Amino acid sequence: MQIETQNTVNNWKLYTLTNQHNMSVSVLDYGGIITEINVPDRHNSIENVVLGFKSHADYKQNPNFLGAIVGRVAGRIQGASFTIEDQSYSLEFNEGENHLHGGASGFHQVVWAASPFQTKDTVGVTLTHTSADGEGGYPGKLVVTVTYTLTNSNELIVDYAAISDQTTAMTLTNHSYFNLSGDMARTIHDHHVTMASDEFVELDNALIPTGNKLAVTNTPFDFRNGRKIADGIDSTFPQNILVSHGYDHYFILNPNQAEAIRVKDEISGRVMTIKTNQPGVVMYTANGLTEGLELADGLSKRYDGVCFETQASPASLHHVGFPTVLLEAHVPYDKQTVFSFSIVR
């Protein structure tokens, strides 16, 4: 187990965590951005399985949120406003008339205080940030800690902790784009996804939840027995077409699942499983990924990666019956998502 620290552009620091199986994870203190995750394939070729810029300087403008910690609220907030206890709060309009991923002062664009650590079986880095009361329009002074831990079992554990001195809206996620083919060898069309979810959230033309939860049965959103992402990309189902052919939807995860999501790339043999205590996940298949970005493994194009944004639902701010994003004053926020990597021969 080892950790290396490297100074990079803009006085940012890059922390590279490596375990005894030569799996490595690289994290910037800027935005808490995961720039690389290198894991072996069935032939023991170690390759990068997330999208990242060739130059770290390009993360300064990161409209696709590559690899970043997203908050205070991950996702879209309708009308860039919400109400808590009859008090209205106005946020930045940064996607039409709505608010996306915390706005310009979101957590993806701040330098976090970083502390690397190492134990006998783990190596990691703890990131801390204090968001002032009123920052971005959100109430409450919020102290946030995100810890990335790499284990010798090829697990990347992401722990989110926070506490606010006022009731506020908050749900954090990581916005890594995964591509298990390795070094962007292929698009994600043939990635096979299994997900324990009976319902997903319907979107309107502005990609805002309508307030309806739809059953996955007999739709391209039914991943309970597994299917390829291409099924949704090529589908004529209205909700797939609505998001520019693919997925950008919140799936409500079935409770008490040991493994919420399993992703497999048949050619490389790589498998990624996801466990979380979050109530749901946005699966985004990079339908709107900016094309022509200079990434570490080539120029970007649509469907180069898939995000699994484990989180609560911003729809809860305007509709009943959704997993809430409200964090009560002085009540600790404590969430975890575990990404595990393995190989099928």
Side-chain angles (χ1 to χ4, degrees):
M1 307 293 285
Q2 67 179 48
I3 183 165
E4 296 179 8
T5 304
Q6 174 188 340
N7 293 318
T8 183
V9 297
N10 303 321
N11 294 318
W12 301 340
K13 284 187 168 58
L14 180 72
Y15 298 88
T16 299
L17 319 173
T18 306
N19 71 10
Q20 292 174 356
H21 304 293
N22 292 320
M23 176 180 167
S24 67
V25 178
S26 295
V27 178
L28 280 174
D29 59 358
Y30 178 75
I33 292 167
I34 295 174
T35 63
E36 291 184 41
I37 298 177
N38 292 285
V39 296
D41 68 1
R42 62 160 54 97
H43 304 295
N44 210 33
S45 293
I46 295 176
E47 295 168 319
N48 182 27
V49 295
V50 293
L51 306 190
F53 285 113
K54 183 176 182 180
S55 169
H56 289 161
D58 289 340
Y59 287 110
K60 189 72 175 176
Q61 303 295 328
N62 188 12
N64 297 276
F65 303 91
L66 296 182
I69 296 169
V70 176
R72 287 189 188 190
V73 172
R76 296 174 175 88
I77 296 179
Q78 178 181 343
S81 65
F82 59 89
T83 300
I84 299 176
E85 297 170 353
D86 298 325
Q87 174 71 46
S88 295
Y89 297 94
S90 297
L91 309 175
E92 174 190 355
F93 296 96
N94 67 325
E95 192 185 61
E97 297 180 351
N98 304 304
H99 177 82
L100 174 67
H101 287 339
S105 58
F107 295 166
H108 65 294
Q109 293 202 304
V110 300
V111 176
W112 294 64
S115 298
F117 63 88
Q118 186 169 349
T119 71
K120 179 184 176 184
D121 298 311
T122 68
V123 64
V125 60
T126 298
L127 304 172
T128 305
H129 173 63
T130 299
S131 177
D133 177 25
E135 186 173 83
Y138 291 93
K141 176 184 175 182
L142 182 74
V143 180
V144 183
T145 301
V146 178
T147 303
Y148 293 113
T149 305
L150 176 62
T151 75
N152 269 327
S153 300
N154 283 7
E155 295 173 320
L156 173 61
I157 303 170
V158 188
D159 286 297
Y160 303 92
I163 197 157
S164 174
D165 63 0
Q166 298 178 47
T167 298
T168 191
M170 197 200 75
T171 185
L172 305 179
T173 197
N174 176 273
H175 208 284
S176 288
Y177 292 72
F178 293 95
N179 184 325
L180 300 184
S181 70
D183 294 348
M184 274 170 47
R186 295 173 300 281
T187 63
I188 56 163
H189 284 72
D190 289 333
H191 279 37
H192 188 271
V193 176
T194 306
M195 190 186 319
S197 173
D198 297 334
E199 293 181 308
F200 71 100
V201 176
E202 182 183 56
L203 300 177
D204 67 15
N205 289 332
L207 307 186
I208 295 295
T210 63
N212 295 327
K213 289 179 279 190
L214 303 180
V216 302
T217 305
N218 297 324
T219 77
F221 289 76
D222 190 350
F223 288 90
R224 291 173 296 186
N225 294 314
R227 70 187 322 139
K228 289 185 177 181
I229 288 174
D231 290 356
I233 294 173
D234 299 334
S235 168
T236 58
F237 189 70
Q239 283 288 303
N240 293 120
I241 294 172
L242 182 73
V243 297
S244 301
H245 300 277
Y247 301 92
D248 191 6
H249 293 77
Y250 187 79
F251 290 79
I252 297 169
L253 295 172
N254 299 341
N256 304 317
Q257 297 290 321
E259 178 182 293
I261 301 165
R262 185 177 191 266
V263 189
K264 181 175 69 175
D265 176 61
E266 191 65 49
I267 295 177
S268 71
R270 292 187 180 96
V271 175
M272 178 176 73
T273 61
I274 301 173
K275 296 185 295 185
T276 186
N277 61 359
Q278 288 279 22
V281 61
V282 173
M283 185 172 75
Y284 173 52
T285 49
N287 328 315
L289 179 65
T290 305
E291 301 209 321
L293 299 173
E294 196 168 359
L295 303 184
D297 299 311
L299 297 179
S300 65
K301 58 187 178 299
R302 295 174 73 201
Y303 311 119
D304 264 343
V306 55
C307 302
F308 294 97
E309 304 162 50
T310 55
Q311 59 178 95
S313 174
S316 63
L317 294 171
H318 297 95
H319 302 282
V320 297
F322 290 86
T324 184
V325 298
L326 290 186
L327 178 65
E328 299 290 335
H330 309 296
V331 175
Y333 179 90
D334 182 15
K335 300 296 181 182
Q336 182 182 81
T337 299
V338 181
F339 302 92
S340 300
F341 296 88
S342 59
I343 301 162
V344 289
R345 299 290 178 183

